[in-house]
Structures are given as structure tokens and as C-alpha cells.
Amino acid sequence: MPRDWRWVAAPAIAGMPLAAALAAQIPHWSVFIATALAIMAAFVGNGLAKREREGRITGQPLRIGSWIAILLPLGCSGFVFGWWAVHGGLAWPWALAGLVSVNAIAATLLNERVMQQFVGQLTSWAPIAFIDGRAEAFLAFTFATGIAALVGRHQARSNRLRTERSEARERERNRAEDILRDYEETGQGWFWETDRRGMLSYISPSIIAVTGRKETEILGRPFTDLFDIKAGDTDGERTLAFQMSARSAFKELGVKANISDEDRWWSVSGRPAYDGFHNFVGFRGSGTDLTEKKRSAENVNRLAQFDSLTGLANRFQMQETLSKILKAPQERHRECNVFLLDLDRFKHVNDTFGHPAGDALLKQVSERLTRAVGQNGRVGRLGGDEFQVIIPGRSTVDELAQLAHEIIHSLSQPYSISGQRVVIGASVGVARSPDDGLTSDDIIRNADLALYAAKDGGRGRYHFFSKDLHSAAEERSQLEEDLRDAIANGGLQLHYQPVVYAEDEVIAGFEALIRWEHPTKGWLSPAKFIPVAEDTGLVNAIGEWAIRVACDDLARWPENIRCAVNVSTVQFANPQLPSVITNAVANAGIHPSRLELEITESVFLNDNDGTQAMFAALKNIGVRLALDDFGTGYSSLGYLKKAPFNKIKIDQSFVRGATEAGSLNGAIISSITGLARDLGMDTTAEGVETLDELDLVRSLGCSHIQGYIYAKAMNSDAATALLQTGPKMSAAGPRSARAHRHTMLRKVVLETGGQYYNATIRNMSVSGALVEGLWNVPEGTEFNLALSEKQIVPIKTVWSVQERMGVRFAMPVKLDEPQKPSVLIPKKTTLADTDEPRKRA
């Protein structure tokens, strides 16, 4: 139903008085009735349209009521003007004028309602034809009806197509609006528009909400007020202001939002808009939120530049910092100092308390390190428990030493991790530029060498780089290469040192000791090449080889003979160790109990489930286990309850000096033997070299003895021959230990009974000397020995063989620098005959 349908009653309301005046008569009562019906129907139709809009009437009642409200006013109007013109004397021009007015108003109100227009016009003109009554009138009405039907059909088709196109455009427009509205509401993007002055005329509601301002505070204000251009002054923001002033299009410019309580970034695009006359009317564009993308980029950049755990600069940034300093334009700005730090005992914390505790410890270390360095330099974490400090500028050695000392002291203080007290240490290597290198690679390498020197020196200390470290590193590298060749080419040997029963001196077995005769350096001490093997991982290959060779040699010896093989901490941690031992024992065809594995206390520093599992696996194989170097490690006695040891080996450091007056070593040995006896374990005293030491360890209850007092280590053939000669050995050695002697060649004068003799001292200690030059001197002969013009020492001959004799000083002689000989003759020795092997490898 068309809105404002009441206006169709206007011709009847206004035309009735006018027609009456023109006709100079009062119309027939039927005219009044028809006019009233027309007016009433028009207003009823107006009310019907209102009810339709409000949804109070729909469907069939609406359609019937609409047709009545449309046709009744038009039909009544046609009847009024037709009847009045034919029977009431109203001039036809006025009647036609009224009827045309009614149809014009109806056509306007029924716009695009072709059917209603067509039927309504026929309804308004039909009364005239019927009132006229002539055939010509009906013929004209019929002709007009046909023409109107054709035109109406065409118009209806056109209107339908136009309506369909309009509805399609409306649907597209609604769909586009919905999509854009959804796009705005989801916050993925927003739209904006300005006038020609750059003032905002539209902006998405989502952005208004983000800014926290009212719409009236944003619209009508410059578009650039949305951005913090002055504070940021970035390239994107400067470009935005320039492009808008130049009326140029721009795309995806990054700008900072002018929001006080948060940092938000937007990407803005826009283009100038023109009207139909090519006049500039403003800008239109869109924007997207860059905040999360920028934060993600910043986070990626932070991860690329900083350590994610501690927040310190990472390896990459520290490298960049050092390179920037070393490439400074001015030479005086290239001076700097680099500290490399390595935490001591950090792995033990990780293994004992877990990685979360290790991470917490690293955070506390970084905080302490940052405080210790302060504003003097930059602190970074290279990874794991390695840290780096760069101190720019020239610093004295004393200043750097003081800083290194403060760092070590700070990092060595106790930490509290999850309620547990943790103590670690730190070692520091220092390198300086330009003294120790001109490139970052040189500085880092040299600082690393200094760090290794600090750790080799006992840890918990600092060390400055020196050029001799290079030669030591090169020597170590060459030694590693030579050791690899020796392993591959069979250059290593196993020597065997006898172990005898203390009670009857019968051979109980041997200890296998690794020996290496270097092609150019001769015999090398295991103390020199075993640490290299452990650092490089070669110790596993060496250990496996030693176990296989020892088992093969055991197969050739009597079944009551055992052989002990040392197992390093690295080798003990190898999960393949039980398989290696099982295969070696099986291939040799020996009983597993004949193989004894010597394990040091250091394996308990990382005491965990893996350690216990390894002990259980080895015990299941059936091999014997010996605790080596007992009492020299860091562990407690608690592990004796856990580990199934068969033997405790008393370290030679307790045997050495045990017979000296006032020594407590005897009491320690006695305690160890008593503990072992109560636990059902054997004891072996290592490094016994003198008869008085032998008597002591026997009296204190040691069950086995090993040392030079019986034999040095020998090769496999010699060990086999020793077993063939008899199972029992005899002790042979000096009655007591003597002080360390210095080899020398020194001319001296001896006096006895007023007679003077020239002689030569070959070696000397604080208590005696080896003198040659006098033949067959009776034992017990006393002399006065003139060491210098002012120092004359009474001596006594204790033995004499041909031109040599051993003498004992009546009082100890202090061997200080002035009394050292002027000519030292280094004695060329081998590992087989030097006193150095007393320290068992």
C-alpha cells in the first residue's frame, strides 16, 4: 500500500466546492455519497499503509484491503466527475481536469505499481463510459483499455527488470557493506575519508573505540592527528605528511598511533579522490593494525640479538659489538678487552637438580655478572655456561685483574635454588686488543686459550693471554693428531705392574698401565696424553682397546691371576661399556671375575640413576670392581653403600711419607684397612718403594701390595716370563725413603784425619749425596765435606762401590738458589727407569 494515499482525496475535497460554484448548483445526493466514499477510502488506505509498515497487517487481508482502498477512491472520483458533467451541468473541461488530477496523484503515489496504476485508471474512467451510455464511449474506453494494457505490460516488464537490477545492486551493495562492516568489526582493518582540507569526514567505528575518544573529537580534525608523528618522526610518518600535502597516493605506510596508554602501530594506505569535474575532494583509504606484527618482528629481532633465558646479549650481538670496536675509524678507539668465562661445576648442578634449576642458576649468574661489570662493559651469554664480557677502551693489567677477581668472587658466592644451597665457581680468560690480536677471531681465540690455561691451572682463577699459550695449544693439537695415529696404527702398549699378596708375596695379579713411545719424543707419561684423550673423546677407543688386550693376555696366564684395568670417568659414562666388556671376556674365553675394573671417586660427582645402572650392569657381568685413589676425591663415604666394590686401593700419597716421624698417614691407612675389612673388601697399598713402607702397610692390615719394592711395570712377554719363574716375589729396595735428589756435577773437597781429597758430587739431597772419586772407602768412614768456603758439613759413608760412595749428612742441608750447582747435567731418562713413574699412571 503506497504511503500518503490520503492525497488522492485532495481533488474530491477541493474540487467539490469549486465544481459546485462553477455549475451554480448543488450536486445530486449521489455525488455527495460518492465523494464521501472516495475521501473515506483514501484515508482508510493511508491508515492501512501505516499498519503495513508497523507489521500489524500482512498477507491476504492486506492485499484485499489495498485493492479496495485504491480502486474505491478512483472509481468514486470517476463517477462524481462523470455524472456531474453529464447530468449536473458541470463543464467537461472542469470534469476532465478533476479526473486527470485524481489520476495524476494516483499515478504518482502508485509509482512502479503498474498493475495497480492500470486497474486504477480503468476504474476511474469506466464510470464515464457507463454514464455516457453511447457505443462510441464504450468503443473509446475499450480502445484506451487495450492501449493501456499494452503499455502497462511493457512498463510492467521494464519495471520488473529494473526492479530485479535494482534488487541485485541492492544485494551487492548490502553484501559489500556487510563484508566491510565485518572487516571493520573484526579489527583486521578500517577505512577513512577526508575532505579536501585533510579533515576526517569518516573513520571506522573500531578505530574510534581504539583511540578512546568520542566521534566528535575525531571527525573534522586533521587525519594526521591520529598519528604520533612528532614523537616517532619515522620515515613512514614523514612520508605520510608529504604524500598528503602533495595529493599523491601512498600504500602501506607504517605509522605510530597517537594513543597515550599503549604503543600501537598502523599500516595506512590512501589515494586522492576527485569529483566529476576532476576537482580534488579529499583522500580515501584504509588501514590495518601492525601492532602484533611489529611486536613479533621485535621479538624475532630480540631473539636474534639477545639470549632468551637471561636477557643478555647473545653470541651474534657480542660478535657484532666486538667487530664494530675493532673496525673503528680511529685507531685509539679499537682498543678493548675481552673476558671469556666458564662456570665450574655447573654440569653437576644440572645433573643433580635438573635443567630448570640450571636455568634459574644461569639467571642469577647473569645478574651477578652484570652487577660486577656495571657500566664498564657489555655482558653476553654465548651459550650453555659460557659468558663473555667486552670492556672497551684501554685498561691496565691491574684494573683488568681486579675486575676478573671481583667477577670470580661474586660468582663463587652461594646461590639459593628452589630452597637448595648451590655453590659453583668460575674461570676467566682475558685477551686484549691490539696487544693480543687485531681481529675478532684472533681476540676470541686467544681469550679462549687463556680460559683453558685458567682451568688447567686449577679453576676458580683468571689468566691473561700470553704468546706461549699458542705454542702449548699447537703442541696439544699435534699431540692429539699423533695420538690418533698411534691408536690407528697400534702405537700404544700395555705394561703390567705386579700386585702381590702382603702375607706371602705370591703374585695375585697385575695392573694394566698404558704406555706410549712417541716416534720423536720417546716415552710419554700417561698424565700427558690421557687428558688429551678424554677431552677429544679418544679415551673410549683407548679404553676399549686396553680391555680387549688385557683379556687376551689373561687368557695366556694361570686362572688364579687377575688383571686390573683403569676405567676413566668418560668411559664409565658410555652406555656401551658393558657390551664392550662382555664381548672382550667372551672372545678371550676367561672368567669375568679375573677382570678387575678400577674406578675413581670422580664418577660419583654426577651420581644419578645412570651411575647406579652402570654399576648394576657391570656387576651382572661378573667382573670385579676396585675403588681407585681412595680418599683423594670429593665424594663422601655414602657411595660405599651403593657401589658393589670388591677392593679399595689406598692412594700412594698416603703411603709416601707414612714412615716419617709425626706423619698421620699411618693412622689414615689403618682406618681404611679397618673399614674395608668390615665391608668385606680387599685393600691394595699403591706406590710402596721402601722396606720400611712395606713393613708398615703389612702391619696395618693391607691385603695386597703394589709398587717398585717388587717390580716396575713390564711388557706382556716379561709378565708372562715372571709368572713362569714362580708365583712368589721378593722385595728389593732401599731400607727407607730418601729425599729427592738433584742431579749435578760439582767439584768438592773431602777431609778426614788431616788428609784432603778432591771428589765430585753426582747428585745431592738435603740429607745426603752420591760422591765419586775415592775408591773402596770403608762403610762408616767420616769426612768433612766443603760445599763452599764458608759451608763445611760433616758426613758419613753408608755404602761404597769402587769409586762411588753414598754419604749421609750429619745435619740437613738447605738447597737454596746460591747453593745450586753451576753446571746442571740433565739426565736422559725413560719411563722405565726414571723416578717419575712412582706416580702411577
Side-chain angles (χ1 to χ4, degrees):
M1 190 67 201
R3 300 179 62 179
D4 298 327
W5 183 246
R6 64 182 181 275
W7 288 104
V8 80
I13 296 174
M16 175 64 71
L18 181 61
L22 293 174
Q25 60 176 326
I26 298 175
H28 190 264
W29 59 269
S30 60
V31 173
F32 281 104
I33 293 175
T35 301
L37 287 175
I39 295 172
M40 182 182 66
F43 278 92
V44 169
N46 198 73
L48 194 63
K50 182 178 179 181
R51 292 171 65 86
E52 179 186 5
R53 292 195 304 272
E54 294 174 352
R56 291 188 291 171
I57 184 170
T58 58
Q60 193 68 17
L62 175 63
R63 286 192 292 272
I64 295 173
S66 298
W67 279 108
I68 294 173
I70 292 173
L71 297 181
L72 186 59
L74 295 176
C76 290
S77 296
F79 172 80
V80 169
F81 289 108
W83 193 92
W84 203 348
V86 174
H87 300 289
L90 181 65
W92 275 107
W94 292 106
L96 293 176
L99 194 57
V100 170
S101 298
V102 171
N103 278 276
I105 293 174
T108 302
L109 295 176
L110 295 174
N111 183 34
E112 296 185 356
R113 292 176 173 86
V114 178
M115 182 59 68
Q116 292 174 343
Q117 284 186 22
F118 174 70
V119 176
Q121 289 176 1
L122 292 179
T123 301
S124 66
W125 289 102
I128 297 177
F130 283 101
I131 292 172
D132 184 85
R134 291 179 296 170
E136 293 86 350
F138 283 104
L139 183 60
F141 177 75
T142 302
F143 178 77
T145 300
I147 295 300
L150 293 176
V151 174
R153 181 182 179 184
H154 173 75
Q155 186 64 35
R157 185 185 303 111
S158 299
N159 288 346
R160 185 175 65 254
L161 294 175
R162 184 166 59 250
T163 300
E164 291 176 354
R165 288 195 294 269
S166 177
E167 290 176 351
R169 286 195 297 270
E170 184 68 19
R171 286 194 299 270
E172 292 177 359
R173 182 164 56 252
N174 292 337
R175 184 164 54 249
E177 290 178 356
D178 291 341
I179 292 173
L180 294 177
R181 188 180 302 108
D182 291 342
Y183 182 71
E184 288 180 316
E185 290 176 354
T186 57
Q188 299 180 30
W190 46 278
F191 302 97
W192 56 275
E193 183 181 54
T194 69
D195 59 18
R196 62 188 311 276
R197 298 173 302 163
M199 304 298 179
L200 277 170
S201 57
Y202 172 80
I203 191 168
S204 296
S206 59
I207 293 300
I208 297 177
V210 167
T211 60
R213 289 180 277 177
K214 297 180 180 179
E215 184 177 1
T216 55
E217 296 176 356
I218 295 179
L219 297 182
R221 300 289 300 171
F223 177 59
T224 53
D225 282 357
L226 291 175
F227 315 114
D228 191 6
I229 296 181
K230 294 182 179 179
D233 196 29
T234 64
D235 292 340
E237 290 158 348
R238 290 196 299 269
T239 302
L240 173 62
F242 172 78
Q243 296 287 18
M244 293 196 69
S245 63
R247 299 181 179 178
S248 300
F250 52 89
K251 185 177 182 180
E252 297 181 354
L253 294 180
V255 289
K256 186 176 185 297
N258 186 16
I259 302 176
S260 58
D261 58 345
E262 66 173 317
D263 288 335
R264 186 175 290 272
W265 293 83
W266 291 326
S267 174
V268 179
S269 302
R271 60 182 180 83
Y274 298 90
D275 60 15
F277 299 98
H278 300 288
N279 295 318
F280 173 72
V281 295
F283 272 88
R284 293 176 186 155
S286 62
T288 56
D289 198 315
L290 281 180
T291 305
E292 292 303 322
K293 183 177 181 181
K294 190 172 183 65
R295 288 175 182 171
S296 178
E298 290 175 351
N299 186 50
V300 170
N301 181 66
R302 185 182 64 81
L303 292 176
Q305 297 286 333
F306 296 91
D307 176 55
S308 59
L309 176 64
T310 62
L312 298 176
N314 61 11
R315 182 187 297 271
F316 174 78
Q317 187 175 173
M318 295 299 288
Q319 179 71 21
E320 290 291 313
T321 300
L322 181 58
S323 298
K324 185 176 181 180
I325 294 175
L326 297 178
K327 294 178 182 178
Q330 298 184 12
E331 185 174 351
R332 61 188 181 90
H333 292 157
R334 301 173 194 164
E335 298 178 346
C336 67
N337 311 276
V338 175
F339 288 30
L340 283 184
L341 291 82
D342 190 77
L343 302 182
D344 302 331
R345 300 184 297 279
F346 174 75
K347 186 178 184 299
H348 175 63
V349 175
N350 248 353
D351 295 340
T352 303
F353 300 102
H355 289 283
D359 291 344
L361 178 59
L362 289 175
K363 291 180 181 179
Q364 294 189 33
V365 168
S366 65
E367 293 172 359
R368 292 190 186 185
L369 183 56
T370 302
R371 286 197 300 268
V373 176
Q375 301 299 320
N376 295 324
R378 182 160 206 173
V379 179
R381 179 186 175 216
L382 304 183
D385 60 343
E386 295 181 272
F387 293 83
Q388 185 181 53
V389 178
I390 298 177
I391 309 295
R394 168 67 68 174
S395 300
T396 65
V397 173
D398 291 340
E399 291 172 342
L400 298 176
Q402 178 63 29
L403 177 58
H405 174 75
E406 292 176 0
I407 290 174
I408 294 173
H409 177 74
S410 176
L411 300 187
S412 301
Q413 299 303 307
Y415 299 83
S416 178
I417 306 295
S418 300
Q420 299 289 330
R421 185 175 183 269
V422 175
V423 178
I424 60 172
S427 302
V428 181
V430 185
R432 298 174 292 164
S433 174
D435 299 343
D436 300 332
L438 299 177
T439 66
S440 59
D441 290 342
D442 291 340
I443 295 296
I444 296 299
R445 182 179 66 252
N446 293 338
D448 203 32
L449 290 174
L451 175 60
Y452 274 110
K455 292 194 291 186
D456 289 343
R459 301 179 180 269
R461 56 191 297 172
Y462 60 88
H463 199 290
F464 285 83
F465 171 77
S466 58
K467 293 182 179 180
D468 61 330
L469 294 180
H470 265 307
S471 58
E474 292 173 357
E475 180 182 356
R476 182 186 179 90
S477 177
Q478 184 61 48
L479 185 63
E480 176 187 345
E481 183 178 345
D482 294 343
L483 182 58
R484 291 182 185 275
D485 293 340
I487 295 173
N489 301 325
L492 299 179
Q493 302 178 28
L494 272 190
H495 284 198
Y496 299 93
Q497 187 174 28
V499 179
V500 303
Y501 290 107
E503 183 179 4
D504 54 11
E505 295 185 323
V506 172
I507 299 175
F510 296 92
E511 179 181 0
L513 303 173
I514 297 177
R515 295 292 183 259
W516 180 21
E517 186 175 10
H518 193 274
T520 58
K521 299 178 180 180
W523 292 97
L524 293 181
S525 169
K528 189 174 183 64
F529 64 84
I530 290 298
V532 175
E534 290 181 337
D535 291 342
T536 57
L538 296 174
V539 70
N540 284 318
I542 295 176
E544 180 177 350
W545 166 83
I547 290 173
R548 294 186 184 280
V549 172
C551 289
D552 291 342
D553 287 337
L554 274 172
R556 299 187 293 113
W557 298 337
E559 293 185 357
N560 64 320
I561 299 298
R562 296 191 179 101
C563 182
V565 179
N566 289 278
V567 175
S568 73
T569 305
V570 176
Q571 189 180 4
F572 185 83
N574 186 358
Q576 302 301 319
L577 179 60
S579 298
V580 170
I581 295 173
T582 302
N583 292 335
V585 170
N587 291 335
I590 63 173
H591 195 276
S593 62
R594 296 183 62 194
L595 178 63
E596 189 171 82
L597 304 180
E598 295 190 1
I599 303 169
T600 63
E601 293 175 321
S602 58
V603 301
F604 294 100
L605 289 177
N606 296 325
D607 192 9
N608 50 34
D609 294 340
T611 303
Q612 300 306 317
M614 179 61 72
F615 275 117
L618 296 178
K619 202 62 181 176
N620 288 336
I621 295 173
V623 297
R624 288 171 54 88
L625 300 177
L627 180 57
D628 198 12
D629 300 335
F630 180 75
T632 62
Y634 302 99
S635 302
S636 67
L637 295 177
Y639 52 71
L640 291 178
K641 298 185 301 180
K642 305 177 184 178
F645 289 110
N646 303 100
K647 179 186 288 187
I648 295 177
K649 301 197 72 173
I650 302 173
D651 189 71
Q652 61 182 339
S653 61
F654 296 116
V655 176
R656 192 83 63 243
T659 58
E660 296 178 1
S663 174
L664 299 177
N665 289 2
I668 296 175
I669 295 174
S670 178
S671 299
I672 295 174
T673 56
L675 175 65
R677 183 171 55 252
D678 293 339
L679 294 176
M681 301 178 185
D682 295 334
T683 51
T684 297
E686 298 180 288
V688 179
E689 297 185 358
T690 64
L691 295 175
D692 57 352
E693 291 175 349
L694 176 61
D695 293 340
L696 177 64
V697 296
R698 275 178 176 166
S699 66
L700 294 178
C702 291
S703 60
H704 296 75
I705 297 172
Q706 175 183 348
Y708 285 3
I709 192 69
Y710 288 109
K712 298 179 181 180
M714 60 193 74
N715 59 31
S716 176
D717 293 338
T720 302
L722 178 65
L723 292 173
Q724 291 174 351
T725 58
K728 194 170 183 178
M729 299 189 70
S730 300
R735 166 51 53 185
S736 60
R738 65 181 185 182
H740 179 69
R741 298 201 172 195
H742 296 275
T743 302
M744 62 179 64
L745 182 62
R746 184 173 186 176
K747 300 296 184 180
V748 293
V749 176
L750 299 177
E751 182 272 332
T752 180
Q755 298 293 321
Y756 293 88
Y757 305 93
N758 293 322
T760 302
I761 294 180
R762 288 292 184 179
N763 61 58
M764 183 173 68
S765 69
V766 295
S767 59
L770 172 62
V771 180
E772 70 175 21
L774 281 73
W775 286 75
N776 299 323
V777 178
E779 183 177 341
T781 304
E782 296 181 351
F783 294 91
N784 289 317
L785 171 64
L787 293 174
S788 65
E789 293 182 359
K790 297 181 179 181
Q791 186 175 19
I792 299 176
V793 181
I795 62 175
K796 185 176 182 180
T797 302
V798 294
W799 60 268
S800 176
V801 178
Q802 295 183 353
E803 82 280 9
R804 291 189 171 190
M805 65 178 180
V807 301
R808 180 181 293 115
F809 299 149
M811 61 189 68
V813 175
K814 184 178 181 181
L815 297 178
D816 52 11
E817 288 296 332
Q819 292 182 359
K820 283 187 178 181
S822 57
V823 180
L824 292 179
I825 301 178
K827 182 180 179 183
K828 185 175 181 180
T829 60
T830 66
L831 197 60
D833 61 8
T834 181
D835 285 348
E836 178 63 23
R838 295 179 182 180
K839 186 176 183 180
R840 186 183 56 81

